[in-house]
Amino acid sequence: MHHLHNLNFVAIAVCAVIVWIIGALWYSPVLFAKPWVAIVGRKMGEKPKGVYAGMIGSLIGDLFLCFVLAHIILWFGAEGWLGGAHIGVLIWAGFFAVVMYPQSVYEGRPLKYFLINSCYWLVSLVIVGAVLSVWR
């Protein structure tokens, strides 16, 4: 447990908020809300049941994700923003894309659905990986 002393919990919390904000923007009308809503069969402006619980759950999940990512960056000894961004890409490719793609295929979703959802995680992991590797 001594490695917990080497983590910057403020950076982890800030990065969780960053991921949460990226998600809010990503799935907003400014970026990808219209095609995503069309694919999942909702109407623009519709607030699904449990939206607030989902937002809180997302923030808690983002906090845990950033906590784990901070550990991985520490264990790998990533230095500089590029090292952290590289780990973000590896985590995305190995744990997000390879899971999300077949899932979207099995669900009969178009490639655009996979790209919208998985690229949100790619962008988020690259950004927070870079931040966490620099802000220690």
Side-chain angles (χ1 to χ4, degrees):
M1 296 298 280
H2 71 283
H3 65 275
L4 291 176
H5 298 290
N6 297 323
L7 295 177
N8 183 337
F9 291 100
V10 173
I12 291 168
V14 168
C15 283
V17 172
I18 289 171
V19 173
W20 194 76
I21 291 170
I22 291 170
L25 290 171
W26 199 267
Y27 293 99
S28 76
V30 174
L31 292 176
F32 301 106
K34 289 178 186 176
W36 185 84
V37 164
I39 292 168
V40 298
R42 292 200 178 135
K43 296 177 185 165
M44 283 300 291
E46 174 187 350
K47 285 194 178 174
K49 199 174 190 179
V51 69
Y52 297 112
M55 292 170 74
I56 292 167
S58 291
L59 184 58
I60 292 168
D62 296 340
L63 186 60
F64 188 69
L65 177 133
C66 292
F67 178 75
V68 171
L69 186 58
H71 277 83
I72 294 168
I73 288 169
L74 180 68
W75 293 335
F76 273 86
E79 301 218 0
W81 69 270
L82 196 54
H86 181 245
I87 289 175
V89 170
L90 291 174
I91 296 298
W92 171 79
F95 296 101
F96 285 77
V98 299
V99 173
M100 294 176 80
Y101 180 71
Q103 181 179 356
S104 66
V105 170
Y106 286 128
E107 291 174 356
R109 306 284 187 168
L111 180 62
K112 185 186 285 188
Y113 178 79
F114 164 74
L115 293 173
I116 291 169
N117 289 330
S118 71
C119 288
Y120 156 63
W121 288 111
L122 174 60
V123 168
S124 295
L125 288 164
V126 166
I127 290 172
V128 298
V131 171
L132 289 170
S133 66
V134 173
W135 190 11
R136 293 186 186 202

